[in-house]
Amino acid sequence: MAEKTIKTRIQLRNDLAATWNSKNPVLNKGEIGIEIDTRKMKVGDGTTAWRALSYMGADANDILSVINENRDTCTQIELTQGQTDADGLATITSPKKGDTAIVSKMIVGDKRSYTAYVYNGENWAACDGNYSADNVYFDEDITYTVQFGTLAKPSGSAKFAATGKNVTQVLSALMAQEANPSKTNPAVSFSAQGGFGTFEIGTKKNLTYTAALSAGSYTYGPVTGITAQSWSVSCTGVAGTKTTATGTFENVVAESNGKRIVATAQYGDGAIPVTNLGNPYEAGQIKAGSATANSYEFKGVRYMFWGPMTEDTALNSASIRALSHKEAAANKTLATFGAGAGAKKVVVAVPAGYKVTKVLMPSAMSADATASFIKQNTQVQVEGAEGYAATAYDVWVYQPAAIDSTETYSVTIG
């Protein structure tokens, strides 16, 4: 086939970017459209409108962004009066791993220090040669032959343990006597507790509590960071335990054996303490363990009962407990009380082991009426509060032919 040469000029479809976006045409498959003002072009696929088509090749801004995201940078920082290296480094925004910084600050006159840092992805780390004494470390111990600082003169020569320590730590150890910290262990205490005390045996109470665990402390810090990880709380004579720092044991019965709430907290390891020079002292760390505290006591005692009876009622648990006066049994003189109108007899009942030792009548010039209060031959079984198990009581009865309503009595129990 014969070849034919055609002389012509090919002009691709073109327009301003704004016009393209306004008209938003669909280019034929393989058709090229050029933005003559931005020099960008798109290739049609026969179905996608202009605005939805991607530009050919890579976008310059995207390329620049990739470069900026992946290049290392070195920033020089001139510190002002009072600024620290950390203050200067904090002014660098969005540092990337591998970035470096030179921090310059005036020492005196025209003398300046230049400290290099590299960003490790999380923090700025000083490069070797940092002028800060905190970043210059010894790789071997120091030999000394004379008294220096806290070191006594050795016999001959000796080694000062400097390996692995920085200049600040070494000089601090030489210039100041290091002291190890003491510690105060975590302790449990009760910030609130209710229902406790001494009551008549058989009394029922709801015993409430709120316990707390102190974090403990170190002489020179830091804070221990210790908190209660779990609780175990029990009550004497009550089945089951509670696992909360606040709670209630319901309907606990007061008995002769005192009852207490026992709260135990489990805790984990505390922070590592430091010496007075700020050096870690692992041997003084508060280790994981437990602490326990006991609440107040809840106790039951037998009461004694006394007072007049207006009927010649048989002496039993119910009639004795119905007497108008009662309190915990004890060796003491009871508060003066009167017979009142209609009294048939006056009764004093005390738990076996106690006895009436003297009775005076203040209404009759404190006449001694002890002999008139007759101990009964038979003991009476008297219950505690709320029907609690009965125990033997000795009973004294004053029952003359008539009792004047103005009579008063002062009874001593021994």
Side-chain angles (χ1 to χ4, degrees), residues 308-311 338-346 400-405 409:
M309 286 185 172
T310 56
E311 300 290 339
K344 300 295 184 182
K345 58 185 176 183
V346 176
I403 297 178
D404 191 281
S405 63
Y409 315 97

Side-chain angles (χ1 to χ4, degrees), residues 138-223:
F138 289 84
D139 60 2
E140 61 181 43
D141 293 341
I142 299 172
T143 300
Y144 66 100
T145 60
V146 297
Q147 186 276 333
F148 180 73
T150 60
L151 302 176
K153 181 179 180 179
S155 177
S157 65
K159 291 280 190 181
F160 173 74
T163 303
K165 297 179 181 178
N166 60 40
V167 172
T168 298
Q169 292 171 324
V170 168
L171 292 181
S172 295
L174 291 173
M175 302 301 180
Q177 187 68 49
E178 188 167 33
N180 293 330
S182 59
K183 62 185 176 184
T184 300
N185 285 318
V188 171
S189 62
F190 288 95
S191 59
Q193 43 188 317
F196 297 88
T198 300
F199 303 90
E200 184 182 4
I201 198 165
T203 301
K204 293 180 180 179
K205 291 281 186 179
N206 291 339
L207 304 184
T208 63
Y209 69 92
T210 297
L213 177 72
S214 66
S217 63
Y218 300 124
T219 309
Y220 310 113
V223 295

